[in-house]
């Protein structure tokens, strides 16, 4: 009984995580945009990360960038010929 209930709950959570759009703009502009900026050296830099204010640290993003950088080097195609 426990495993059936647990598997239903996990399935519901997975469907929700896969199909739900990003509802909070902070998720995009405070984490995904600076991560893109670290990986591709272009993009938006929120004011919290800018050197003038430096309210947020890049240390959390650097962990994700370290994981994604090798993948970006392997699978990224040069868009400029």
């Amino acid at each position: 009984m426990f495993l059936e209930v647990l598997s239903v709950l996990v399935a519901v959570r997975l469907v929700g995580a896969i199909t739900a759009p990003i509802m909070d703009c902070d998720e995009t502009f405070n984490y995904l945009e600076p991560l893109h900026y670290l990986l591709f050296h272009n993009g938006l830099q929120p004011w919290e990360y800018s050197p003038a204010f430096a309210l947020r640290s890049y240390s959390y993003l650097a962990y994700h960038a370290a994981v994604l950088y090798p993948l970006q080097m392997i699978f990224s195609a040069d868009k400029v010929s």
Side-chain angles (χ1 to χ4, degrees), residues 24-56:
D24 187 12
C25 64
D26 284 341
E27 228 177 288
T28 303
F29 292 112
N30 287 335
Y31 296 106
L32 297 179
E33 283 290 338
L35 183 60
H36 184 270
Y37 184 77
L38 285 177
L39 289 174
F40 297 102
H41 305 293
N42 66 359
L44 299 175
Q45 182 186 39
W47 66 273
E48 293 101 334
Y49 289 96
S50 72
F53 299 102
L55 295 177
R56 293 185 183 251

Side-chain angles (χ1 to χ4, degrees), residues 4-38:
E4 291 87 7
V5 172
L6 182 64
S7 60
V8 168
L9 291 175
V10 167
V12 168
R13 294 291 298 229
L14 284 175
V15 168
I18 292 171
T19 60
I22 296 175
M23 301 302 287
D24 187 12
C25 64
D26 284 341
E27 228 177 288
T28 303
F29 292 112
N30 287 335
Y31 296 106
L32 297 179
E33 283 290 338
L35 183 60
H36 184 270
Y37 184 77
L38 285 177

